Amino acid sequence: MNILIVQGHPDHSEPHLCHALAEAYAEGAREGGHELRRITVADLPITFLRSARDYAEGEPPYYAKEAQEAVMWADHMMVVFPLWVGGMPALLRAWFEQSFREGFVMEIRDGRVLRHLKGKSARLVVTMGMPSLFYRWYFGQPGTKLLRRSVLGFAGVRPVRQTLIGMVDKLTPAKAEKLFSHMRDLGRKAS
C-alpha cells in the first residue's frame, strides 16, 4: 500500500512529539512492506489564499501541485498535528486550502458532485494539552470534525480514523513508548 505521511507541526526548529509519532508510524509502515512518501508542512513556503476567486481559478503553487501528486499516489494518508486554538495550526490549514482545491478533490459536473479521492483512507493523529475526552465530548472536536468531514470526507476519503492524544505535557516515558508502539502497529496495518 502507498502511504503519505503529512507532518503538520508548523515548528521545524526542534523535534516535537508529532515528529516522533510520525517516525514511529513510518517505521511500522516500512516493517509492513508499505511504500512511503512524506510532506513536512513546516519546510514549505506556504502562502495563504485571500479570495474565493483565487481558490477556484488561481494557479496552485508548486508545493500544492507536488502535494496533489502525492495524494493521488497514496492509498492511505496519515496526518499528524498539534491542536492549536481548537483546530489544526494555520500553516497546515493553508496547506490544505492550497492543495485540496476545487477541481482536484471534487468537481461539479452536470449537477453532480464528483469526489476524486474516493477509495483512499486516512488517519489523523492529534496531540493536545487537554484531556482528549474533554476535547471530544465537551468541545465536540470541532477541529478534527472540520478535517474529517469538510475536507477529507467531502473529497471522498473514507474511512477517516483519528487518534487523539491528550495531556501531552504529562506524558511519561513509559506512556510515550506505549504510544509509539501503537503508532508502529497502525503503520504496519496502514490504518
Side-chain angles (χ1 to χ4, degrees), residues 66-171:
E66 289 174 357
Q68 291 172 350
E69 191 276 323
V71 167
M72 293 311 291
W73 167 86
D75 302 304
H76 178 74
M77 294 173 278
M78 186 270 216
V79 182
V80 59
F81 60 92
L83 188 73
W84 284 8
V85 195
M88 67 185 110
L91 200 64
L92 180 59
R93 171 76 185 246
W95 178 83
F96 271 109
E97 288 176 359
Q98 289 285 16
S99 303
F100 281 55
R101 289 174 180 236
E102 186 175 332
F104 170 66
V105 295
M106 57 73 72
E107 63 183 290
I108 299 173
R109 191 181 308 152
D110 300 325
R112 295 180 350 180
V113 176
L114 303 174
R115 300 175 202 296
H116 297 308
L117 301 185
K118 279 187 174 179
K120 298 179 184 299
S121 60
R123 161 82 50 188
L124 307 180
V125 178
V126 184
T127 63
M128 62 193 73
M130 73 176 87
S132 59
L133 284 174
F134 196 68
Y135 177 70
R136 182 184 306 250
W137 299 112
Y138 182 78
F139 288 111
Q141 57 192 353
T144 56
K145 274 186 184 174
L146 169 89
L147 192 49
R148 280 188 0 254
R149 292 180 181 173
S150 301
V151 179
L152 297 171
F154 191 70
V157 177
R158 285 187 182 79
V160 179
R161 297 178 178 96
Q162 65 182 16
T163 302
L164 301 177
I165 304 165
M167 305 296 288
V168 296
D169 54 335
K170 298 195 183 329
L171 198 61

